[in-house]
Every structure is written in C-alpha cells, then in structure tokens.
Amino acid sequence: MRIAVISDIHSNIYALDKVLLDIDKKNVDMIVCTGDLVGYGTRPNEVIHRIKEENILTIMGNYDDAIGNSKIVCGCDYPDPKDAHNAGLSMHFTGKEITEENKKYLRNLPKEVVLIFNNKTIRFVHGSTRAINEYLKENSKEADEVMNELVEDILVCGHTHIPYAKYHGEKLLVNAGSVGKPKTNRPDANYVIIDIKNNDELSKTYSSVEVEIIEVEYNFEKLAKEIEENEILPNKFARLIREGNSK
C-alpha cells in the first residue's frame, strides 16, 4: 500500500498542481491531505476545487477550521505580534475571497481519520492527537509525549511545514511537510510517500514501512508576484515563498 500524504497547501494552487502531477507518476494507491488548504496564498477557491475534483481524503487544519467557522484568529499560536498581525491579514483576505460553499466544505472536514493497511493502523491528524494546532517538531518533548500515548502504529501529521519520519520505539511519526509554504529553507514543495509492504518470512507475514520525502520544483515566483500585487496580503509572505523559510 503506497500512500502519498500532502499537507499545508495554503492557497498555493501552483505548488499543488505540480505535486499532484508528480504523485501521478509514483504509482500510489491513495492520497491523503493533513489539512490547511487555505491561508497565506492567493488562490483558496482553486485549491479547494482541485482537492474536491481529485476526491482527496482531507483532514481539517487550523486554518481550515478558522476560515470555515468564521473565527477571528487562525490558531497559529504566533509569539511575535507582527506574525500574528500578518496572520490576521491572511485571515481577512481569505475570508473575503472564499465562497460560502467552500467555507461549508472546510468546516465539515474531519479532525482525524484512522485507516488500516496491511495490519498497520495509521492515524492522520493536522497538528497532533491532542490539538489541531500543536506543533510536533522532530526531537521535541511534545512529539515524545504524543507518541508515548499513541495506540496506533503510525501517526501522520502536518502543521510544522517540515517533513520528517522518526520512530519512537515501535511507533512511527511522519510529518508530511508542506506543499504550499515549506519551511525547509528551499522554495520547493514537499510531500511524503508511505509505503507499507507485506513480507513473508518462513510463512510468518509481517509489514514493513518505508517513508520517502519528495521535493517538487514549481513556479513559486508566480505566487510571490501575486502576493505582492495583492492589496491585503503582506509582502513578507512573498519573501517566505521565495526563500522557503518561516521568518
């Protein structure tokens, strides 16, 4: 079973289109999105349309929750007031731009999904099992705490915008990174493929798991220029898209 997992598209249709083209070449069985379809970028409706068109199983992200339920903050938990202000501008633009039909779609997304493949149980969330906006950074105490309590074999999340895969004992934590707003210090979109294989050794069947992190080039300059031409979104977002970082 090969599962492509995408996350944190953030209204970046140009990155999403290229990633889906790349996935189409990878012989995957299904695609799962761990949320944050909207925010930051200029094309929220186009992103949602493409996700629905491809019938991609999608988990609710904190931005999806905020926009879908007309909240006043994105739930990003920014300690810097300037970042919080910019996130507010993003919320304002997205709230004005998005259709009522797409707001309804966002607020009806599930907050988690559990699937079973080849005797492996996988739980998909946006932030963590504890909160939609909790950051499970690699090697963090938060990740250790969540994985110590996990009953499933694999936890898949997003939210940090940095892809990784790490075992906590026998449990595997996978972060799907970010298609539309990576924080890898490179502008390329990224996603992961989880490959769950059945192996037969001395008539005893067991499953092994491999995770591949994939980067995809796209025309990030097109989105950056659209942001700069936008009357509401801050120019800082364009720089973050070009540089692939968070500050």
Side-chain angles (χ1 to χ4, degrees):
M1 186 73 186
R2 286 170 57 81
I3 309 163
V5 188
I6 61 177
S7 191
D8 295 273
I9 300 161
H10 286 299
S11 303
N12 187 342
I13 188 62
Y14 310 113
L16 177 61
D17 282 344
K18 284 290 188 180
V19 164
L20 292 178
L21 280 173
D22 191 72
I23 290 172
D24 196 45
K25 305 171 187 175
K26 304 292 187 182
N27 191 32
V28 304
D29 297 290
M30 72 178 299
I31 305 173
V32 178
C33 177
T34 59
D36 270 7
L37 303 183
V38 300
Y40 297 106
T42 55
R43 304 282 180 169
N45 292 308
E46 290 87 339
V47 164
I48 293 172
H49 174 75
R50 188 71 200 278
I51 291 290
K52 293 196 293 187
E53 182 181 56
E54 298 291 331
N55 197 28
I56 295 172
L57 173 61
T58 301
I59 310 303
M60 179 188 287
N62 56 287
Y63 249 104
D64 307 323
D65 177 34
I67 295 297
N69 291 295
S70 301
K71 296 182 177 181
I72 59 173
V73 294
C74 66
C76 308
D77 195 26
Y78 285 122
D80 188 330
K82 291 182 180 178
D83 289 335
H85 174 71
N86 286 339
L89 295 175
S90 173
M91 287 279 294
H92 176 54
F93 167 76
T94 307
K96 286 181 59 177
E97 188 77 7
I98 199 167
T99 67
E100 286 301 319
E101 179 185 355
N102 284 336
K103 280 187 179 180
K104 182 179 178 181
Y105 170 79
L106 292 177
R107 65 175 169 265
N108 286 317
L109 291 172
K111 292 190 176 180
E112 66 174 31
V113 169
V114 176
L115 302 175
I116 302 174
F117 301 111
N118 297 347
N119 299 317
K120 291 290 184 182
T121 308
I122 312 176
R123 189 170 180 179
F124 296 90
V125 299
H126 178 66
S128 81
T129 55
R130 303 188 296 197
I132 196 171
N133 63 342
E134 182 175 27
Y135 293 94
L136 295 188
K137 297 180 180 179
E138 191 173 8
N139 303 318
S140 67
K141 69 177 181 62
E142 290 83 5
D144 288 337
E145 290 168 358
V146 165
M147 295 305 291
N148 283 338
E149 298 172 357
L150 187 73
V151 298
E152 293 81 12
D153 300 298
I154 304 169
L155 178 65
V156 183
C157 63
H159 195 50
T160 70
H161 297 212
I162 301 173
Y164 66 85
K166 181 182 178 181
Y167 273 97
H168 293 250
E170 295 184 352
K171 309 279 186 178
L172 177 61
L173 173 59
V174 179
N175 193 298
S178 174
V179 167
K181 192 174 176 284
K183 296 180 181 178
T184 55
N185 295 316
R186 295 179 298 280
D188 296 342
N190 56 68
Y191 72 99
V192 302
I193 292 179
I194 303 172
D195 192 352
I196 305 173
K197 300 179 178 181
N198 266 351
N199 300 286
D200 195 345
E201 184 179 297
L202 298 177
S203 299
K204 294 182 179 179
T205 301
Y206 66 98
S207 298
S208 63
V209 181
E210 295 178 0
V211 179
E212 181 182 5
I213 296 171
I214 300 167
E215 292 195 352
V216 179
E217 294 181 355
Y218 77 100
N219 187 358
F220 58 84
E221 192 61 35
K222 191 171 184 179
L223 179 67
K225 287 180 178 177
E226 283 188 9
I227 291 171
E228 289 173 336
E229 292 167 359
N230 188 278
E231 294 181 353
I232 298 174
L233 296 173
N235 286 349
K236 179 181 179 180
F237 288 174
R239 178 178 62 78
L240 298 180
I241 290 295
R242 290 184 175 112
E243 296 177 2
N245 64 37
S246 59
K247 296 181 180 181

